[in-house]
Amino acid sequence: QARGKQTFKRGGIWYTPQSGIWQTVWIEEVPQNYIQAIKLTPDIDNDELNIEIDYTGSSYDDMAAIALDNGNVMAGCKLEKGKGTLKLTDYECWSPENPKLYDLKIVAGSDQIESYFGMRKFSTGKDDKGFDRFFLNNEPYFFNGLLDQGYYSDGIYLPKTPQGHLDYILKTKEMGFNMLRKHIKVEPQLFYYYCDVYGMAVFQDMVNSG
């Protein structure tokens, strides 16, 4: 059984054990056939967003996606067998300095969901002197950040309130950092949402199984 960072003898990167639920849990009413999950892959080289949905129904009729910017429609496409591509123009790339996000609506039969996306690309390449560098949006970029243990003194694996996630990210940015390396732990989705919205890159470790 995976136990993550919990141990009875805490110390170093090993933390106080606890019981109970500490990740996000929700319940939602859905139609008989509904969208279970979505996968969004931005491609700035081809100015498009690739969409895949996991749908419970056997029929893929009447599936579509629409991208919006401040309520204005940017692009739309049909989803054939749960897959489609939005062709985009006049968009801004996401970066820690400009965390631009766009809204997304997906309809499948009688189900409809809302999400968001950022147009961004992480890669490696050579700079003008021939040195290997991390690239953001096809340009060399200096990621300056912290090793983030995901430990909170007031709640162990979570801050006392959800606001604690946001306060931590904003304080990290205020100190001049643009990246967090999340150390062998996966945070609740709200944490990553705040990183997207407020401009914090995340280097995500593989999860520690114990």
Side-chain angles (χ1 to χ4, degrees):
Q1 180 177 350
R3 58 182 171 84
K5 294 184 173 188
Q6 301 182 87
T7 180
F8 289 118
K9 295 182 179 180
R10 64 189 178 95
I13 65 166
W14 301 98
Y15 300 152
T16 303
Q18 67 175 28
S19 61
I21 297 171
W22 66 274
Q23 282 279 9
T24 304
V25 177
W26 69 90
I27 187 169
E28 177 187 9
E29 183 180 7
V30 296
Q32 183 174 357
N33 295 324
Y34 63 95
I35 301 168
Q36 293 189 106
I38 63 174
K39 180 181 180 182
L40 308 176
T41 307
D43 183 350
I44 68 169
D45 296 324
N46 294 301
D47 301 322
E48 61 189 30
L49 177 75
N50 295 302
I51 302 170
E52 297 180 47
I53 71 170
D54 186 2
Y55 186 61
T56 62
S58 57
S59 172
Y60 289 95
D61 295 336
D62 301 322
M63 288 190 176
I66 299 175
L68 304 103
D69 183 14
N70 294 321
N72 299 313
V73 176
M74 298 172 62
C77 71
K78 288 190 174 182
L79 303 180
E80 301 292 340
K81 295 185 177 180
K83 297 181 180 181
T85 299
L86 285 172
K87 302 297 290 187
L88 303 171
T89 58
D90 299 325
Y91 63 86
E92 299 176 39
C93 285
W94 183 98
S95 70
E97 295 76 27
N98 180 43
K100 178 65 177 180
L101 298 172
Y102 297 98
D103 296 318
L104 183 70
K105 291 185 179 181
I106 300 177
V107 177
S110 58
D111 195 18
Q112 177 175 312
I113 63 171
E114 296 181 359
S115 187
Y116 71 93
F117 65 95
M119 294 300 291
R120 58 190 176 191
K121 176 185 177 182
F122 297 97
S123 59
T124 58
K126 302 283 186 182
D127 65 12
D128 54 6
K129 296 182 179 180
F131 291 104
D132 291 323
R133 302 293 185 195
F134 285 115
F135 276 48
L136 176 63
N137 302 328
N138 292 326
E139 296 290 340
Y141 190 85
F142 182 66
F143 290 99
N144 177 33
L146 304 170
L147 179 64
D148 181 357
Q149 299 284 350
Y151 178 80
Y152 299 89
S153 59
D154 56 358
I156 305 180
Y157 297 110
L158 288 177
K160 187 176 181 180
T161 68
Q163 181 68 28
H165 283 308
L166 179 56
D167 292 343
Y168 171 69
I169 292 166
L170 293 179
K171 177 59 69 174
T172 303
K173 285 195 63 104
E174 181 184 323
M175 295 170 67
F177 299 106
N178 58 29
M179 179 273 287
L180 294 170
R181 176 188 159 194
K182 181 54 65 174
H183 191 238
I184 58 177
K185 179 189 179 216
V186 173
E187 294 289 355
Q189 292 178 353
L190 183 64
F191 171 85
Y192 299 99
Y193 171 73
Y194 284 146
C195 287
D196 284 339
V197 170
Y198 293 97
M200 182 63 69
V202 179
F203 288 14
Q204 177 65 58
D205 282 8
M206 290 292 291
V207 180
N208 181 41
S209 67

